[in-house]
Amino acid sequence: MKKVRIFVTYKESVFDPQGETITAAVKSLGFPEVKKIGVGKFFDITLSDEADLDQTIPAISEKLLVNFNLETYRYQVLEEQK
Amino acid sequence: MKKVRIFVTYKESVFDPQGETITAAVKSLGFPEVKKIGVGKFFDITLSDEADLDQTIPAISEKLLVNFNLETYRYQVLEEQK
């Protein structure tokens, strides 16, 4: 099995309201050392050994996982067994 | 500045409905090589140089970021400048 983690974040230019809210909440809880919190999601994907990662990962990101108007992604191969 | 990424996932024993739904959707889109997709969120945290990570990160995770009934977390130091 192959394992890949896809990270999805807002684009730099897009306002991250959840991150702003959490940052304000953490500061108000008494953590002035926290300067900024950004929020993202990730997908841990298990694929069969035959999967072509360079093809499958961009394809499912574009078709389902990522909203390219607001978001961007990158991925990391966690495990690749032959 | 120090930078830390906190990963939050469901505990192993907790059903992940979003992951199940996405897995089914991806398969139905014509990607039989995808076996399983799990979903999580992450927080990219920027802290001042004086921050004590071993103390601050668990504290804000417990107080705000993680629901310990359902979720678990781990964190990774991305950048630690002295």
Side-chain angles (χ1 to χ4, degrees):
Chain A
M1 290 292 175
K2 298 180 178 182
K3 288 191 178 178
V4 176
R5 178 168 285 176
I6 302 182
F7 297 88
V8 180
T9 51
Y10 283 116
K11 290 182 184 172
E12 280 294 330
S13 56
V14 175
F15 183 63
D16 171 8
Q18 202 188 351
E20 294 289 321
T21 306
I22 293 173
T23 305
V26 166
K27 284 184 182 175
S28 77
L29 281 174
F31 298 96
E33 68 269 40
V34 174
K35 297 304 174 195
K36 189 170 186 290
I37 301 183
V39 182
K41 56 193 168 182
F42 65 89
F43 300 95
D44 279 340
I45 305 185
T46 308
L47 303 104
S48 65
D49 290 330
E50 301 77 38
D52 178 356
L53 298 184
D54 292 337
Q55 212 229 316
T56 302
I57 300 299
I60 63 175
S61 298
E62 277 161 38
K63 284 191 178 160
L64 194 75
L65 302 180
V66 183
N67 172 355
F68 281 92
N69 295 312
L70 300 175
E71 296 171 334
T72 184
Y73 79 103
R74 55 182 202 78
Y75 69 93
Q76 181 183 9
V77 178
L78 302 177
E79 203 178 300
E80 190 168 15
Q81 279 177 331
K82 293 291 171 188
Chain B
M1 290 293 175
K2 297 179 178 182
K3 288 191 178 179
V4 175
R5 178 168 285 177
I6 301 181
F7 297 88
V8 180
T9 51
Y10 282 116
K11 289 181 184 172
E12 280 295 330
S13 56
V14 175
F15 183 63
D16 173 7
Q18 202 188 352
E20 295 290 321
T21 306
I22 293 173
T23 305
V26 166
K27 284 183 181 173
S28 78
L29 281 173
F31 298 95
E33 68 270 40
V34 175
K35 297 305 173 195
K36 189 169 186 292
I37 301 184
V39 182
K41 56 193 166 182
F42 65 89
F43 301 93
D44 280 340
I45 306 185
T46 308
L47 303 103
S48 64
D49 290 330
E50 301 76 38
D52 177 356
L53 299 183
D54 292 337
Q55 211 229 316
T56 301
I57 300 299
I60 64 177
S61 298
E62 278 160 38
K63 285 191 177 160
L64 194 76
L65 302 180
V66 183
N67 172 354
F68 282 91
N69 295 312
L70 300 174
E71 298 171 333
T72 184
Y73 80 103
R74 55 181 202 80
Y75 70 92
Q76 183 183 6
V77 178
L78 302 178
E79 204 177 298
E80 190 169 13
Q81 280 177 328
K82 295 290 172 189

